[in-house]
């Protein structure tokens, strides 16, 4: 059975971009593959969270994983920092990851722009840690959104380079995966980039947002003054709302508003009302479960412990073999 690995950074509540880009695929994959899903708390250290924030955010992601339908009896759910073998493999991979290629990564360049006062080495080697996360379980499929495509390409480079360097076909090549055959990018509500890209709460709809909050956010989404010609191309901010509708609404609803747009009869207020209600309906079952799971400390503890044991079994086997391949020998 093929092995699947994916993770989400522990930076707080999860939004619809995380859900449709990644988690929905996790839930579908868990019954068909040997799955490892983790909470990337080591990656979150690049932005220097306080100890209290760090733990609270890890807990939040674990709760939301479970609420969204991940089953810890089937998939292995764990916290990245509970598996120190990942950090060890990261160290080995760093020895053959080169400055030039790391500096060319788009996410690194974005971070340099976003946080010029904190361009730490962890940011630079972020794709190396990500490669370690994946190949520690020798995974071949990685369910992620479109924004992670380049990281997957780098993971393949590092895996292949290790194999070549030690003349040993040890790590398989990991590929980004989505059930729909193409990776998705869920737009935000600000009319510009993807959901979750800009800081600030208004651009993203979170799985834990209350219905009233979702209505307010969607009603404030950026729109233009409306089409003036039949079949006019949609400007970015309008296309974004239609893209969101495509994932949360029924096909009939989408086609109805698309027709109204193409015949210059669309009323954005109506479109947004419908979009908000469909987002509320899509998130309702998860929102309810988040509340009940969050208060169950003993269950969360048991899930995290069980996941760490299972993840370490697989990771320590890889590390034993990697050490052997590299040439570490005990006296
Ligand atoms: P992160 O935490 O930024 O996002 C988690 C997952 O959600 C997806 N995603 C989106 N998909 C579509 N549209 C959006 N607007 C959107 N926003 C987020 C991301 O593509 C991702 O799949 N580096 C990773 C975490 C990570 C990881 C790994 C993933 C660390 N190690 C190993 C896979 C395998 C990250 O920062 O994702």
């Amino acid at each position: 059975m093929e092995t699947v690995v994916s993770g989400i950074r522990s930076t707080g509540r999860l939004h619809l971009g995380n859900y449709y880009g990644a988690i929905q695929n996790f839930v579908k994959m868990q019954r068909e593959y040997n799955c490892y899903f983790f909470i990337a708390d080591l990656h979150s250290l690049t932005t220097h969270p306080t100890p209290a924030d760090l733990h609270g955010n890890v807990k939040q992601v674990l709760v939301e994983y479970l609420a969204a339908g991940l089953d810890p009896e089937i998939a292995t759910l764990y916290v990245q920092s509970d598996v120190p073998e990942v950090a060890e493999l990261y160290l080995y991979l760093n020895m053959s990851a080169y400055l030039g290629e790391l500096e060319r990564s788009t996410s690194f360049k974005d971070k340099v722009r976003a946080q010029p006062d904190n361009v730490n080495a962890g940011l630079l080697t972020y794709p190396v840690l990500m490669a370690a996360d994946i190949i520690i379980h020798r995974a071949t499929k990685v369910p992620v959104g479109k924004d992670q495509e380049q990281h997957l390409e780098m993971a393949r480079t590092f895996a292949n380079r290790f194999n070549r360097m030690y003349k040993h076909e040890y790590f398989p090549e990991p590929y980004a995966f989505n059930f729909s055959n193409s990776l998705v990018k869920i737009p935000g509500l600000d009319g510009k980039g993807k959901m979750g890209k800009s800081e600030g709460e208004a651009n993203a709809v979170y799985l834990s947002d209350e219905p009233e909050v979702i209505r307010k956010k969607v009603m404030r989404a950026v729109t233009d003054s409306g089409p003036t010609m039949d079949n006019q191309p949609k400007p970015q901010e309008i296309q974004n709302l239609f893209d969101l509708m495509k994932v949360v609404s029924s096909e009939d609803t989408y086609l109805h508003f698309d027709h109204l747009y193409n015949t210059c009869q669309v009323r954005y207020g109506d479109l947004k009302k419908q979009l908000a209600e469909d987002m509320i309906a899509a998130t309702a079952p998860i929102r309810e479960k988040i509340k009940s799971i969050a208060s169950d400390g003993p269950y969360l503890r048991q899930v995290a412990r069980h996941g760490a044991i299972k993840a370490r079994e697989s990771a320590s086997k890889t590390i034993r073999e990697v050490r052997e391949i590299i040439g570490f020998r005990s006296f």
Side-chain angles (χ1 to χ4, degrees):
M1 199 195 280
E2 273 185 280
T3 298
V4 170
V5 168
S6 197
I8 295 192
R9 254 174 320 144
S10 54
T11 48
R13 300 188 298 149
L14 303 184
H15 51 67
L16 291 180
N18 300 133
Y19 185 71
Y20 290 105
I23 297 183
Q24 203 183 40
N25 286 284
F26 298 2
V27 175
K28 284 197 209 161
M29 292 177 102
Q30 62 186 350
R31 284 173 207 284
E32 291 180 37
Y33 299 96
N34 176 30
C35 289
Y36 294 86
F37 298 124
F38 66 95
I39 300 161
D41 56 346
L42 296 175
H43 277 106
S44 82
L45 296 181
T46 55
T47 52
H48 302 170
T50 64
D53 284 348
L54 177 66
H55 180 71
N57 288 339
V58 169
K59 179 183 166 196
Q60 185 71 27
V61 178
L62 180 59
V63 166
E64 297 196 10
Y65 268 178
L66 295 164
L70 290 190
D71 184 343
E73 298 298 323
I74 308 177
T76 301
L77 302 191
Y78 63 100
V79 179
Q80 188 186 29
S81 63
D82 281 342
V83 183
E85 290 81 4
V86 170
E88 185 171 338
L89 183 58
Y90 166 61
L91 185 149
Y92 300 148
L93 296 178
N94 267 326
M95 303 303 168
S96 54
Y98 296 100
L99 183 61
E101 64 189 341
L102 295 171
E103 279 176 335
R104 278 194 298 277
S105 133
T106 350
S107 65
F108 177 68
K109 288 191 218 156
D110 286 348
K111 288 287 180 204
V112 171
R113 242 173 273 130
Q115 49 182 78
D117 299 331
N118 181 22
V119 184
N120 58 65
L123 275 181
L124 184 71
T125 57
Y126 186 107
V128 187
L129 180 53
M130 193 162 149
D133 290 327
I134 297 167
I135 69 178
I136 192 84
H137 302 298
R138 303 173 76 195
T140 48
K141 284 191 161 55
V142 188
V144 283
K146 184 134 187 69
D147 57 336
Q148 299 298 319
E149 207 164 25
Q150 194 185 31
H151 285 153
L152 262 297
E153 202 180 308
M154 295 174 86
R156 285 192 291 280
T157 302
F158 300 139
N160 284 327
R161 196 173 287 156
F162 180 94
N163 293 348
R164 267 204 313 279
M165 191 159 159
Y166 294 106
K167 301 186 176 46
H168 197 309
E169 281 305 309
Y170 184 67
F171 290 118
E173 286 190 323
Y175 283 90
F177 179 87
N178 185 295
F179 266 104
S180 72
N181 284 332
S182 61
L183 303 180
V184 305
K185 175 184 156 187
I186 305 295
L189 294 172
D190 62 2
K192 293 184 214 130
K194 63 169 185 172
M195 185 171 286
K197 170 116 180 155
S198 59
E199 303 302 321
E201 296 259 309
N203 184 36
V205 171
Y206 294 93
L207 300 179
S208 55
D209 274 345
E210 291 297 335
E212 253 333 288
V213 174
I214 297 181
R215 287 190 191 103
K216 271 200 195 117
K217 284 182 180 175
V218 175
M219 292 318 281
R220 281 198 207 117
V222 182
T223 45
D224 66 353
S225 51
T228 51
M229 273 182 336
D230 281 2
N231 299 318
Q232 191 176 316
K234 298 182 181 88
Q236 189 62 59
E237 65 275 18
I238 303 302
Q239 185 61 48
N240 287 356
L241 296 181
F242 276 93
D243 286 351
L244 286 166
M245 205 164 227
K246 212 166 217 159
V247 291
V248 295
S249 305
S250 71
E251 195 180 350
D252 284 352
T253 303
Y254 177 87
L255 292 174
H256 169 71
F257 282 99
D258 194 46
H259 172 74
L260 292 179
Y261 183 88
N262 286 331
T263 50
C264 300
Q265 303 175 74
V266 72
R267 285 172 27 185
Y268 290 137
D270 293 346
L271 183 152
K272 287 176 172 181
K273 260 190 209 135
Q274 180 70 46
L275 179 61
E277 293 315 310
D278 291 338
M279 283 177 170
I280 291 166
T283 49
I286 304 176
R287 187 167 43 250
E288 290 313 311
K289 285 196 203 120
I290 290 175
K291 287 182 201 151
S292 61
I293 297 172
S295 56
D296 196 347
Y299 175 58
L300 294 173
R301 193 172 317 119
Q302 184 226 318
V303 168
R305 284 193 186 160
H306 177 63
I309 291 170
K310 283 207 288 179
R312 287 198 75 181
E313 263 171 34
S314 149
S316 58
K317 176 172 183 288
T318 303
I319 283 294
R320 255 195 324 275
E321 291 167 354
V322 163
R323 284 174 147 263
E324 183 75 27
I325 292 169
I326 292 178
F328 291 116
R329 304 268 187 275
S330 47
F331 283 93

